[in-house]
Amino acid sequence: HRIGMDLQNKLRALHYNIAGQPERFLIQFPTLAQKTYFTLGMRDRGFLWNRPTLVNLAHKHDDIFDVAKAASEIKREMAKIDVEEEMKDRLPMVLFSNR
């Protein structure tokens, strides 16, 4: 719980919208393009990040610091570009949908 709370607090300080409990939570993005940019940015920094985030005792303080640093870098990048335009041809394709 403490580790997840620490990560949530660091992400909230960066103005990410967090939903859920410290042990299992989501970052909510206004658009699919922003979510995709973030997910790819985390991947490029060595973090497999998608929904939901599952924090556990394998995560240490250094891990939380590294995740927050990467999220901060991505937030700064997103503020400098038109994310919707940048991601328009890179959005994930839905393979299965409800009928």
Side-chain angles (χ1 to χ4, degrees):
H1 181 82
R2 183 180 51 79
I3 294 167
M5 185 63 72
D6 188 25
L7 179 55
Q8 282 186 337
N9 289 339
K10 286 180 176 18
L11 293 171
R12 282 189 178 110
L14 296 169
H15 304 287
Y16 283 102
N17 186 18
I18 306 297
Q21 300 301 314
E23 300 83 6
R24 183 179 190 271
F25 66 90
L26 305 170
I27 298 178
Q28 297 177 316
F29 294 93
T31 69
L32 180 59
Q34 290 179 19
K35 177 186 174 205
T36 302
Y37 190 93
F38 179 85
T39 301
L40 293 174
M42 292 300 279
R43 180 207 63 195
D44 293 346
R45 289 164 175 82
F47 297 99
L48 180 59
W49 191 284
N50 205 353
R51 312 170 53 112
T53 302
L54 299 169
V55 180
N56 61 65
L57 292 175
H59 296 106
K60 303 299 179 206
H61 181 74
D62 288 348
D63 299 320
I64 302 307
F65 176 81
D66 292 342
V67 167
K69 181 178 180 232
S72 177
E73 291 170 0
I74 294 166
K75 183 66 103 168
R76 283 193 305 273
E77 287 174 10
M78 290 172 72
K80 294 178 183 177
I81 64 169
D82 180 344
V83 176
E84 304 303 314
E85 181 65 26
E86 180 76 24
M87 299 307 297
K88 71 179 181 182
D89 296 325
R90 300 184 67 197
L91 295 177
M93 184 175 69
V94 175
L95 296 177
F96 302 100
S97 63
N98 294 335
R99 294 179 188 200

